[in-house]
Amino acid sequence: LCSTNNKVATRSIFEAPLFTPEKCQHIINISIEAAARNAEKARQIIAEYDAKETFLNSLNILNENDDTSSREEAEKVAKIDPLGWRKDRHKSYPTTDLNVVTDPFTKEDRKFLQEKLDARLAPLIERIFGIAREAVRCNDMFVVRYDATKGQTNLRRHTDSGHVSFNILLSDQFEGGGTRFHNRHLNNFLDAKPAKGQVLISPASINHEGLSVTSGTRYILVGFTSIDDKDPISEQPTGLSVFASWLSLSWIQSRFKEGYHASHTRLEGNELGVQNPVGVSDNWSDNKYVRSLCRDITTYITTLSDFWSQHLHISLVSKENVNAYLDALDKADKEQSEILQQVSSSERPRGRSWWFGGQQIDVNVDGTLASVWASRSNAGEDTFKKENL
């Protein structure tokens, strides 16, 4: 309980440089290109649906059984500003965003992101939280757009899914914005407004909000990572230590929260899609007493962490050392790459974090696979294979 991981890291926000301004602009550019592909595809869906309707009407045929949901979704993408961006991918706390796997980013786009995240983000998470890089699985990675005039300007208070969250500021041509982190115990807050290219890393359980953009457009790259003690698909151990898992308050809180959520999904359903018929389950963790235990442990650990842990905003690198710091990370990653060997495409990368292939799944309280999101199911499992990423 008195370890630095519990006393400091459980409720602190860490800030460090990650991308140069040129790389930030590159990510914005590929996001805009992906949005344009989305908009074009949506327009095609609308045109095909309308052509079908026109043909049936000409024959005086009433198509009562036709599902209009795909056309309605296409309308949101193709006709509501900003065009091509998703508006309701996250149901409870919707953001205007694009997922880097299920939206039409290219393989080259993801390769670029993977190389930078492997070299610069994975070592940070490892050093801050004592987490083996192989244990890090990003469950959702997406580019968010906040715009003062077109669409969403802010995001209300919430906590993230997963264990560790990160957001990287990609633009600086805006006013306002930033992230406000709330201290539930003292009922106060701190505002983080990093420079372009800086990353904020924090436990997902910290209550926070996106502040309103008053002019211009703010782009951020966001990731919700799950820290796996075993791979939820292969069930092979990831090398995560006991210190960083069952002796870590934030990890315990997130694991039992995930377990309760997975059980809720099986028994009652939600917007992400379920594997089993709603209300039907033979999973031991769906026992009402186990569910209650997961809920109560989540609440207790959250309250304990809010009370016990320090709420700090820690800048890890001074401005004058940014270039030397990034060069050192890139050099270290290059040396590591020369000795690492990748396993087959169906398995988790050895010695690396899993940024794309393990996204959009839910896990049980024991770390096994519970269900896949509807968006992953709709995209198809082939989309998430290594050779297609």
Side-chain angles (χ1 to χ4, degrees):
L1 188 64
C2 294
S3 69
T4 303
N5 200 25
N6 287 325
K7 189 65 177 175
V8 178
T10 295
R11 283 294 178 269
S12 291
I13 300 96
F14 300 87
E15 182 177 330
L18 206 75
F19 295 139
T20 62
E22 294 76 18
K23 301 304 182 186
C24 290
Q25 188 59 50
H26 177 69
I27 298 173
I28 293 174
N29 291 342
I30 62 177
S31 301
I32 292 173
E33 291 168 2
R37 297 185 194 104
N38 262 346
E40 178 58 29
K41 182 178 179 181
R43 285 190 287 268
Q44 292 175 3
I45 292 173
I46 293 171
E48 291 171 1
Y49 184 92
D50 289 348
K52 180 180 178 181
E53 281 292 291
T54 300
F55 174 73
L56 292 175
N57 290 338
S58 69
L59 300 177
N60 293 320
I61 297 175
L62 181 62
N63 193 17
E64 296 180 345
N65 297 323
D66 199 12
D67 182 10
T68 62
S69 60
S70 60
R71 190 190 192 285
E72 291 169 354
E73 178 61 30
E75 288 270 2
K76 296 176 185 177
V77 173
K79 295 187 176 182
I80 300 178
D81 284 331
L83 303 184
W85 291 77
R86 307 288 182 183
K87 282 79 174 180
D88 56 1
R89 202 172 58 82
H90 300 101
K91 299 296 183 181
S92 299
Y93 301 93
T95 52
T96 301
D97 64 31
L98 297 169
N99 179 270
V100 298
V101 178
T102 54
D103 284 300
F105 290 84
T106 67
K107 291 174 63 174
E108 291 73 23
D109 296 339
R110 284 185 287 270
K111 181 180 179 182
F112 165 80
L113 288 172
Q114 179 175 331
E115 289 174 351
K116 295 305 178 185
L117 297 176
D118 277 341
R120 299 176 179 179
L121 182 59
L124 265 178
I125 295 176
E126 182 179 46
R127 187 62 181 268
I128 293 170
F129 299 100
I131 297 168
R133 300 184 195 189
E134 194 172 338
V136 178
R137 174 178 56 81
C138 195
N139 203 39
D140 196 10
M141 188 189 301
F142 49 101
V143 177
V144 181
R145 172 178 171 149
Y146 294 106
D147 196 301
T149 59
K150 295 182 179 179
Q152 186 175 14
T153 63
N154 68 317
L155 184 63
R156 60 191 173 93
R157 287 178 62 166
H158 64 285
T159 58
D160 295 332
S161 61
H163 294 74
V164 175
S165 299
F166 66 85
N167 81 72
I168 307 162
L169 182 63
L170 302 175
S171 61
D172 56 8
Q173 299 301 306
F174 64 89
E175 294 182 4
T179 306
R180 175 166 292 173
F181 294 90
H182 293 268
N183 183 328
R184 286 173 291 227
H185 173 59
L186 298 178
N187 196 29
N188 59 16
F189 59 83
L190 61 86
D191 291 345
K193 296 188 176 184
K196 183 177 180 177
Q198 297 266 332
V199 61
L200 297 176
I201 306 174
S202 63
S205 54
I206 298 180
N207 195 268
H208 62 285
E209 63 182 300
L211 299 176
S212 292
V213 172
T214 56
S215 69
T217 305
R218 175 177 178 243
Y219 292 95
I220 56 175
L221 176 64
V222 177
F224 301 156
T225 68
S226 293
I227 310 304
D228 299 326
D229 54 346
K230 60 183 174 184
D231 187 294
I233 298 175
S234 70
E235 300 190 11
Q236 295 299 308
T238 63
L240 184 67
S241 69
V242 174
F243 169 80
S245 54
W246 294 107
L247 294 180
S248 166
L249 290 176
S250 63
W251 189 89
I252 296 172
Q253 186 266 339
S254 296
R255 171 53 64 87
F256 281 95
K257 178 183 176 182
E258 288 180 327
Y260 179 80
H261 171 77
S263 179
H264 177 86
T265 299
R266 276 190 296 269
L267 296 177
E268 300 179 36
N270 69 3
E271 71 275 8
L272 299 180
V274 294
Q275 292 281 46
N276 299 321
V278 175
V280 179
S281 175
D282 56 1
N283 191 293
W284 63 270
S285 61
D286 293 336
N287 177 280
K288 64 178 181 179
Y289 298 109
V290 176
R291 291 186 73 198
S292 296
L293 182 63
C294 288
R295 181 197 60 210
D296 293 346
I297 289 177
T298 300
T299 301
Y300 173 76
I301 296 296
T302 299
T303 303
L304 175 62
S305 299
D306 288 345
F307 171 78
W308 175 255
S309 304
Q310 299 178 45
H311 292 63
L312 304 174
H313 178 196
I314 302 172
S315 181
L316 299 175
V317 182
S318 61
K319 291 183 179 179
E320 59 270 21
N321 291 324
V322 167
N323 290 334
Y325 168 77
L326 294 178
D327 288 343
L329 286 177
D330 290 343
K331 180 180 178 181
D333 183 71
K334 183 178 180 181
E335 294 173 352
Q336 185 185 34
S337 297
E338 294 174 354
I339 61 175
L340 284 177
Q341 293 182 345
Q342 297 296 324
V343 294
S344 67
S345 61
S346 62
E347 296 178 336
R348 196 176 187 130
R350 199 169 283 160
R352 295 288 194 186
S353 299
W354 206 14
W355 300 115
F356 306 124
Q359 285 197 35
Q360 303 184 14
I361 65 175
D362 290 325
V363 299
N364 294 307
V365 69
D366 60 357
T368 56
L369 178 66
S371 62
V372 302
W373 296 8
S375 53
R376 178 173 179 130
S377 179
N378 292 338
E381 284 301 312
D382 285 347
T383 303
F384 293 82
K385 287 185 177 180
K386 180 182 172 184
E387 59 266 27
N388 294 328
L389 293 173

